[in-house]
Amino acid sequence: MLERLKTDILILGSGGAGLFAALHAHQANPDLSITVATKGLLGKCGCTRMVQGGYNVALNPGDSVERHFMDTIEGGKWLPNQDMAWTLITTAIERVRELENEVGCFFDRNPDGTLHGKAFAGQTFDRTVHKGDLTGIEIINRLMEQVWARPIARLEEHRAVALIPASDGQSLAGALLIDVRSGTFRFVEAKAVLLATGGGPTMYRYHTPSGDKSMDGLAMALRLGLPLRDMEMVQFHPTGLLAGPDTRMTGTVLEEGLRGAGGHLLNGHKRRFMEDYDPKLERATRDIVSRAIYAEMRAKRTSPHGGVYIKMSHLGPDKVATQFKGMVERCADCGFDLAGGLVEVVPTAHYFMGGLVCNVDTSTELPGLFVAGEDAGGAHGANRLGGNGVANSTVFGGIAGETMAAWIAANPGHRAPHEQAIGTEMARAQGPFARKPGNVNALREQLMDAMWDDVGVMRDATALHRGLQKVEAIEGELLGIGVSDGDRAFNLTWHDWLNLRSLVEISKVITLAALKRENSRGAHYREDFPDEGDLATSTFTVARQKDGRLDIVDEAVRFTIVKPGQSLLKDAAE
Ligand SMILES: Cc1cc2nc3c(=O)[nH]c(=O)nc-3n(C[C@H](O)[C@H](O)[C@H](O)COP(=O)(O)OP(=O)(O)OC[C@H]3O[C@@H](n4cnc5c(N)ncnc54)[C@H](O)[C@@H]3O)c2cc1C
């Protein structure tokens, strides 16, 4: 069954990007009809809610946008789209003020009333604004209240399954959704659609993102033949909680601020090992610390569950318990004493730097389609600084809202959808009902192992080819099994199947892009090509699917603001 709805703006996803887009589009033109469609419940799903550490912003007089920018470019190993990075950093200042003064957030303060900035690894200034160590709950709750208070329509527990082109194929006409509560299909025709489904590399054995994220947005864009960049760039957070295989808490993140505040990492022999890997010790960037931990794990110097330990007690258990209350409670729930003892940790897939190619104003090559947040590629390059993620989604979400409102003013009217595409996509989504039920979860477990073992923290050609074979075999099996066609309302097995389909499609792109990049930059480390290559001739990968074939090409990075070897910092230039 297919129901049809019409709206001016359709926003897919209700994280920081989606909700900011809704607010800014409404502010730009209150007459526009705006619909937020989200896989979970508004305010309760996605990763913005899970933000712990905080929000990077250069507010302190001792800091500067140039310094924040250089940290971002150098952290991203010269691959970021510099215009996007500059917009991110300069607009973050205005966005944080908006969050406090208009949205109603309240962040922690210094005794003089200024916003407190905490230390985050890989940055040259303590600029991470926060609310304790559970910043995302403050941000998303207040955003949710603001959206509720406006005439913005909501389609909660609605999963987007396809972007539907217009009948002439030249622009986008809307999106096809499944109402998870009833199993009904809904086609939402929209003048502008925002992709804000938040990426989320949940195809790895250890991962942090929320369970509703399965790369659906990028998989939909891929199927439409749109270009995806930096797809090899999966960020591993060094300190995922390791509490054994029987708890979903394994893989969840213990925030960066722990290392920023002076936490130590110890191997299985209880020896502090970071000095063997980097002079910045535990405050080195996430990629370096993750690789160091992985190397200790491969050398079998591990904790009982196969990871390493984080130790905070030398900072004073009382201080740790006050400063990192949320983290201490999370660890206590799993039987660990973070303030006074040792907690087992493991690198965990955390963030996806890759995404849909877009312009600074969030428009894409397909008229009518916009993208913001973790679905958008370009701002971070090879590495995302901790604290730049939520800044990215709120900054570009707001920009997307304004851009879509302006775009609709210039391009009024809905565009008739490609009816055959709707039919094809409905058939595709219902494909599993036509086949004999199989064990979807077993395949998901296989995928998580394949990606962790062969396309993970450290890569080489042999492992990547092996990983590709495994992923293709999993795909073959998945396409051969189905789910039982009983009640389609809240048919979670069906949605597990669809999640796995998206994850497999994107896993293949990650693996092929990782094979294509024969050097090591940021999150992507090739043991067979450990050199970073020539920075001045840096390229980024762009993947595109055409007629079922995946092409990956290299494109030259344009250094529009600063070139390798240069700096915007006065003291560095002098
Ligand atoms: C545990 C954790 C801690 C983090 N801590 C920090 C931090 O301290 N600082 C920082 O800067 N960043 C942090 N991040 C990263 C940060 O959360 C993300 O960068 C950012 O929130 C992404 O925002 P978003 O709006 O793009 O996506 P999300 O907030 O993830 O929202 C995605 C939305 O899309 C919806 N969705 C998914 N698929 C579909 C579909 N098919 N159809 C419809 N809707 C769909 C989801 O339900 C959700 O509503 C953290 C991430 C995690 C997981």
Side-chain angles (χ1 to χ4, degrees), residues 490-545:
F490 278 116
N491 187 333
L492 297 185
T493 316
W494 182 24
H495 290 281
D496 282 347
W497 192 100
L498 293 169
N499 287 344
L500 191 54
R501 181 80 187 101
S502 298
L503 288 174
V504 165
E505 284 179 302
I506 296 302
S507 296
K508 271 199 305 189
V509 188
I510 293 173
T511 312
L512 286 166
L515 272 166
K516 176 85 178 162
R517 178 174 287 286
E518 294 188 332
N519 60 32
S520 293
R521 292 278 180 106
H524 170 76
Y525 189 81
R526 290 276 304 252
E527 289 187 273
D528 46 353
F529 295 99
D531 199 71
E532 66 182 4
D534 178 29
L535 293 180
T537 55
S538 294
T539 55
F540 61 94
T541 60
V542 178
R544 199 190 273 271
Q545 192 164 277

Side-chain angles (χ1 to χ4, degrees), residues 12-18 37-40 45-54 120 158-160 196-198 208-210 212-213 216 220 253 350-351 372-375 384 386-391 393:
L12 301 176
S14 63
T38 184
K39 206 170 173 183
C45 56
C47 290
T48 304
R49 187 176 177 83
M50 299 166 82
V51 164
Q52 301 170 349
F120 252 28
H158 274 67
R159 170 200 196 109
T197 67
T208 68
S210 56
D212 50 326
K213 298 217 300 190
D216 295 342
M220 290 189 282
V253 86
H350 184 50
Y351 186 89
E374 204 172 321
D375 275 347
R384 173 185 68 95
N388 269 4
V390 64
S393 58

Side-chain angles (χ1 to χ4, degrees), residues 316-376:
D318 291 344
K319 189 177 154 207
V320 174
T322 316
Q323 201 178 338
F324 297 103
K325 185 168 174 286
M327 295 297 103
V328 169
E329 286 171 1
R330 169 173 295 189
C331 291
D333 284 346
C334 295
F336 290 114
D337 176 10
L338 177 66
L342 298 178
V343 179
E344 287 186 64
V345 291
V346 68
T348 179
H350 184 50
Y351 186 89
F352 199 60
M353 275 78 73
L356 181 55
V357 173
C358 63
N359 301 308
V360 177
D361 69 357
T362 73
S363 59
T364 68
E365 71 170 35
L366 185 66
L369 178 65
F370 302 80
V371 64
E374 204 172 321
D375 275 347

